[in-house]
Amino acid sequence: MRLAGRVGISGSKNAVLPVMCASIMAPGVHRIENVPYLTDVVRMSEILRGLGVEAFWLAEFVDEEVPEGRITPKMKRRNLYARADQGFPEWAERCKGILEIRVGELTGYSAEYKTVRQLRAGVAVLGPLLARGGRAHISMPGGCVIGDRPIDLHLKGLRRLGATITVEAGYIDAEADGLKGNRVYLGGTFGSTVLGSAALMSAAALADGVTIIEHAAQEPEIVDLAVFLKACGAHITGAGTHRIVVEGVGELHAAQHRLVPDRIEAGTFALAACATEGDILLEGARWDHLYSLWDHLENAGASMQDRGGMIHIAFEGRPRPLEVTTFPYPGFPTDLQAQMTAFLCRADGVSRIVERIFPNRFHHVPELTRMGAEISLAGAVASVKGRERLDGAEVEAKDLRASAALVIAGLTANGRTIIHDTGHLKRGYEDLAGKLKDLGARVEAEETG
Ligand code: EPU
């Protein structure tokens, strides 16, 4: 099923979540633009609500009204609001949402297990909460299907700023009588930590003195968070490099911010287009956020072009096999590893995929195998022997990116593929089925219980 046409790339999931967490440090009304309609945003809004912070989807219309006795229409601006913690508004499909976050006094300091276990990124409120309110009681996120998800580096960083932290009965209890700037080395066994860097950079914005984060994550989502924090009045330099310097300020204020496009959504569509020998335009995607993907796709035989705010990508025939190793940014993203594996199931030869961020992130492999893929796994290394086509099958995805990989596999397979997803795709892809349909795919999304 060849994908062809244009697809608009939504705002980034992994940018909006830390921005929402950081917003609680800055009183006033924030306006966050380009926010995707994702269940992770809804869950984060639930967490904020528990702290006394309300998030609303906002739609701005201009209505034309013709008053009686007149022939010229009168333009009338109209705003619609819907509580973001309650789901997606009924007008979501015809109107692009903006998230308005209203921050006053914080009235809570806890995030419960039932929410944090569904949204690991919820733990990123810990730093902002401590910095603003001096106290936090947050559930440990626990492991998840992509493997162990420790937060030792988050805790180490906040302790270096003077927080007292205990972990008991599955909860983190943290207190700080004013955080103090310090030098923090944040590297770990698997490299830098994205949310750990986000939490520390945010908390340091309100600390007394200068914080230097060494071995900070360099992801575009960290840069985006720094742009937001600076708009709130923070003093930050070096975001996007391995050393971030934050000079604490006495207070922050609300801001307006437009999120970066979702590079993982863009990469997923690029891989789907290549897997289906398609020809698509990615509208609003950032070429400079995905050099590692373009390099691999070029080696596989794709033709690509950066048209400034628009990326053209086309593929003919079967891909050449690749060697792919995931790394922290700017290396090949772990969040595209599963989708790349699905693409390489069609390669003309044997590819090798090494997962260096989450060594157990291979849930897609047994499901792809059910579709006829020839993949052997040895530790964190997958060897994929490509074949002309996979076979459609009934498969089940256990996490967001594994689901996306199965969608790509299903688009390229002979016959029909049914993916049992239990809501994973909605966590991270805005209207995936709708966007694929617009590109010519025959795909149906059904709500299941
Ligand atoms: N790690 C530690 N200690 C810590 C924190 C992390 O050892 O305190 C390890 C992790 O176990 C992992 C590595 O460091 O091996 C990197 O983890 P990182 O902390 O960077 O992951 P994260 O910040 O929790 C974010 C994204 C993930 C993405 C990873 C890696 C968000 C909300 N999540 O998670 O996104 O895979 O960075 O790039 O930003 C996804 O979107 O599907 C997703 C899982």
Side-chain angles (χ1 to χ4, degrees):
M1 209 179 297
R2 183 171 177 270
L3 298 187
R6 293 165 172 254
V7 59
I9 299 304
S10 302
S12 161
K13 165 177 92 72
N14 290 347
V16 70
L17 299 175
V19 162
M20 290 176 76
C21 291
S23 72
I24 69 167
M25 302 194 304
V29 179
H30 297 268
R31 178 190 164 96
I32 315 298
E33 297 174 357
N34 203 24
V35 180
Y37 288 116
L38 301 175
T39 47
D40 272 11
V41 175
V42 173
R43 287 183 186 140
M44 186 59 89
S45 304
E46 274 174 43
I47 291 181
L48 296 198
R49 195 170 168 79
L51 310 175
V53 171
E54 292 200 299
F56 292 86
W57 299 112
L58 161 64
E60 293 170 327
F61 291 97
V62 178
D63 273 353
E64 277 189 12
E65 280 177 7
V66 185
E68 225 174 302
R70 296 185 52 184
I71 44 164
T72 40
K74 236 169 93 182
M75 304 303 239
K76 199 170 162 206
R77 277 183 68 131
R78 211 151 62 88
N79 286 353
L80 291 178
Y81 291 92
R83 263 177 54 187
D85 59 299
Q86 294 188 334
F88 308 127
E90 53 195 29
W91 35 262
E93 270 180 28
R94 68 187 182 102
C95 186
K96 198 71 205 155
I98 295 164
L99 201 67
E100 186 172 291
I101 307 176
R102 301 180 190 164
V103 184
E105 286 302 311
L106 299 185
T107 56
Y109 58 90
S110 308
E112 302 300 327
Y113 176 65
K114 69 174 175 13
T115 324
V116 178
R117 70 181 267 276
Q118 291 184 315
L119 177 65
R120 208 201 101 84
V123 78
V125 292
L126 175 62
L129 202 49
L130 260 185
R132 170 98 194 272
R135 187 175 180 195
H137 176 74
I138 309 286
S139 168
M140 285 286 284
C144 78
V145 76
I146 65 174
D148 277 352
R149 306 288 299 266
I151 56 157
D152 54 307
L153 298 169
H154 298 226
L155 303 188
K156 168 184 159 179
L158 293 169
R159 284 187 175 121
R160 293 279 294 173
L161 299 197
T164 308
I165 302 179
T166 52
V167 180
E168 225 180 281
Y171 275 80
I172 306 156
D173 273 298
E175 276 182 12
D177 186 13
L179 295 172
K180 290 202 174 41
N182 205 343
R183 187 180 288 267
V184 185
Y185 178 79
L186 216 53
T189 316
F190 298 96
S192 49
T193 162
V194 179
L195 286 178
S197 302
L200 197 60
M201 179 169 75
S202 302
L206 280 181
D208 184 17
V210 176
T211 298
I212 301 173
I213 308 172
E214 302 284 1
H215 208 321
Q218 295 177 282
E219 270 69 3
E221 295 76 22
I222 294 292
V223 178
D224 199 52
L225 175 64
V227 170
F228 170 68
L229 284 166
K230 287 201 270 188
C232 295
H235 292 173
I236 299 172
T237 54
T241 74
H242 269 316
R243 177 180 294 126
I244 298 177
V245 180
V246 187
E247 198 183 322
V249 294
E251 56 183 26
L252 298 171
H253 52 77
Q256 178 168 339
H257 178 68
R258 188 172 173 80
L259 296 165
V260 283
D262 197 310
R263 65 193 166 98
I264 304 302
E265 188 198 19
T268 302
F269 276 105
L271 284 161
C274 291
T276 60
E277 299 182 50
D279 186 330
I280 67 168
L281 281 170
L282 300 167
E283 289 181 333
R286 288 269 302 256
W287 177 261
D288 58 330
H289 286 175
L290 280 166
Y291 286 131
S292 61
L293 176 66
W294 310 139
D295 189 60
H296 282 89
L297 286 180
E298 191 176 9
N299 291 341
S303 65
M304 288 149 314
Q305 207 185 7
D306 170 19
R307 295 195 183 162
M310 182 113 84
I311 294 165
H312 177 219
I313 179 151
F315 206 98
E316 277 176 34
R318 287 177 68 183
R320 289 190 284 271
L322 297 178
E323 289 273 328
V324 184
T325 303
T326 65
F327 283 109
Y329 190 84
F332 189 84
T334 173
D335 292 344
L336 286 175
Q337 181 260 111
Q339 303 88 313
M340 175 57 100
T341 305
F343 165 63
L344 291 174
C345 285
R346 289 209 59 218
D348 192 6
V350 179
S351 302
R352 228 169 66 99
I353 296 152
V354 185
E355 174 55 65
R356 293 185 56 149
I357 311 291
F358 296 111
N360 297 318
R361 196 176 197 174
F362 285 107
H363 280 276
H364 44 287
V365 168
E367 301 303 302
L368 290 172
T369 306
R370 298 189 67 245
M371 297 176 71
E374 289 182 47
I375 307 178
S376 60
L377 253 185
V381 182
S383 300
V384 184
K385 185 166 177 235
R387 50 180 274 196
E388 176 72 41
R389 295 231 166 261
L390 297 179
D391 301 316
E394 208 161 330
V395 287
E396 185 175 345
K398 294 201 171 62
D399 83 87
L400 165 60
R401 309 303 174 187
S403 270
L406 296 179
V407 171
I408 293 176
L411 289 170
T412 67
N414 291 318
R416 204 156 82 124
T417 299
I418 297 174
I419 302 164
H420 296 277
D421 171 69
T422 68
H424 297 299
L425 285 167
K426 278 196 172 166
R427 284 191 42 220
Y429 292 95
E430 186 175 56
D431 190 21
L432 182 65
K435 290 184 182 187
L436 286 171
K437 266 189 197 163
D438 290 347
L439 292 172
R442 289 191 299 281
V443 51
E444 292 301 331
E446 271 177 30
E447 294 289 335
T448 50

